[in-house]
Amino acid sequence: MTTKRFFLRTLASAIALTAAGGAALHASALQAAPDTAATFPSKPVRIIVPVAPGGSADKLTRTLGERLSQLWGQTVIVENVAGASGTIGAGKVAKAAPDGYTLLQQGEGLMLNSILFRDLPYDTARSFAPVVKAVVNPQVLVVNPGTGLNTLGDYLARAKAQPESISLALPGNGGIAHVAHEILAQETGAKVNYIPYPGGGPASVDVIAGHANATLITLAAVTEYVRAGKLRALAVTTSYRSPALPNVPTVAEAAKLPGYSVESWQGYFAPAGTPPAIVQKINRDINQVLQLPEVRAQLEAQGFKVAGGSSADLARSLQTEQPRYAQAIKTAGLTIR
């Protein structure tokens, strides 16, 4: 082989290797490039639900997750991380990469924990980016039918005549149910035995089994059990009756407590620092799923009331509710124990 031919062949090989290497580097750079709103999501998305499976938060997130997976063409993984009134799951999201691929399902409990707990594994005001308030819903007081408590009047009468004789399964110590019942107790003098649970699923199952007498819980978690006669609903905490269980009175009606009203909600958060464009993309897509007729009908049948709205709406809601619940907790003398 002549020196000229050898040089040309070597040069061609070098050019080919350089081109291949450049293509590989380009592909690697594209793979490593951060997502934009146009490309998000390009891999599975994980939603942390900070309570045990089976409750309303779990049902809501799995319903939305299935539809979001179809919309995004990516798997949506629902991970239950229960414990410490939701603070363990929230702490996990607070430390996650701020890229939109790890989200937190939470409601007013996020704000309540900031009032009730002295030491948290995150800074509530700085660790999360609000995404969307998905639903609002009543809490409902339900009992095992075997207790013989047929009305809220029966319940309150026994709780006053025989203090702490009623065992109340709390779906999270210090949560909205705890606050709602403490306000009721302060107003009526009722005293029950609180038993904390890691979520609404285990709490309702134990009431059905007779291991606890009652629970105050998000209505959507127990509508099926009430309709099946496994639980008896005594009253809802909102100022309005729920269309899902229209025959169940409000606490204000049944206990003759005008002005009594506690409404809970559930929404989604991303870690602080998540690009605003990705937060807005997730917001738009969750809103789109919430407005699907079949999804809306399914959620409303369970007892949810679809909310939706912007991430700014959720941020304003937190700012408005924080002083209100702080005052309610102070008045009720509620403490974590």
Side-chain angles (χ1 to χ4, degrees):
M1 180 182 294
T2 67
T3 302
K4 182 178 181 180
R5 288 178 60 194
F6 176 77
F7 172 75
L8 290 174
R9 179 172 293 180
T10 302
L11 179 62
S13 298
I15 291 171
L17 286 170
T18 301
L25 286 171
H26 180 66
S28 176
L30 285 176
Q31 188 174 14
D35 286 84
T36 65
T39 60
F40 180 89
S42 58
K43 61 183 181 181
V45 175
R46 182 175 54 154
I47 304 178
I48 301 294
V49 178
V51 294
S56 60
D58 189 61
K59 291 178 181 179
L60 170 68
T61 302
R62 291 183 188 279
T63 297
L64 297 184
E66 181 180 353
R67 295 300 183 136
L68 286 171
S69 181
Q70 295 170 6
L71 180 63
W72 288 339
Q74 294 290 344
T75 302
V76 175
I77 302 162
V78 178
E79 182 180 346
N80 297 89
V81 182
S85 297
T87 62
I88 295 176
K92 193 170 185 177
V93 175
K95 295 174 184 176
D99 54 11
Y101 286 98
T102 303
L103 303 175
L104 172 67
Q105 184 286 320
Q106 252 291 14
E108 68 289 318
L110 189 66
M111 173 258 300
L112 290 175
N113 286 341
S114 71
I115 302 169
L116 290 163
F117 287 89
R118 291 182 179 178
D119 298 310
L120 290 172
Y122 51 83
D123 183 329
T124 305
R126 295 186 175 92
S127 297
F128 306 101
V131 176
V132 65
K133 179 187 284 189
V135 296
V136 296
N137 32 251
Q139 298 289 305
V140 62
L141 180 63
V142 294
V143 297
N144 183 299
T147 60
L149 302 172
N150 298 314
T151 66
L152 180 59
D154 294 341
Y155 176 91
L156 294 174
R158 183 176 299 180
K160 287 187 285 186
Q162 304 173 47
E164 299 193 1
S165 64
I166 296 175
S167 54
L168 182 77
L170 279 176
N173 197 15
I176 191 66
H178 198 169
V179 172
H181 198 283
E182 280 285 353
I183 294 172
L184 176 63
Q186 289 288 320
E187 293 285 343
T188 62
K191 292 184 179 180
V192 300
N193 179 24
Y194 292 120
I195 304 175
Y197 280 76
S204 57
V205 167
D206 261 19
V207 176
I208 291 170
H211 302 310
N213 301 134
T215 183
L216 186 58
I217 190 169
T218 303
L219 184 140
V222 293
T223 45
E224 296 171 7
Y225 297 139
V226 172
R227 289 169 183 156
K230 295 179 180 180
L231 292 172
R232 178 176 295 131
L234 303 185
V236 294
T237 62
T238 43
S239 60
Y240 55 87
R241 294 192 182 199
S242 171
L245 296 173
N247 293 326
V248 178
T250 67
V251 169
E253 290 178 281
K256 296 181 174 57
L257 293 174
Y260 181 98
S261 177
V262 177
E263 182 178 72
S264 63
W265 56 268
Q266 292 171 10
Y268 295 89
F269 297 81
T274 301
I278 289 179
V279 170
Q280 295 314 309
K281 159 77 168 160
I282 300 170
N283 172 277
R284 287 193 301 270
D285 290 345
I286 291 179
N287 272 304
Q288 180 178 331
V289 168
L290 286 170
Q291 294 307 320
L292 292 173
E294 60 272 27
V295 172
R296 193 180 188 97
Q298 180 181 350
L299 293 176
E300 289 177 350
Q302 291 174 352
F304 292 117
K305 182 179 177 183
V306 172
S310 69
S311 56
D313 291 335
L314 176 51
R316 279 192 295 271
S317 181
L318 288 168
Q319 292 171 356
T320 301
E321 291 180 358
Q322 203 276 347
R324 173 174 174 253
Y325 281 116
Q327 183 58 47
I329 288 169
K330 181 179 179 181
T331 301
L334 179 60
T335 57
I336 296 296
R337 60 184 182 186

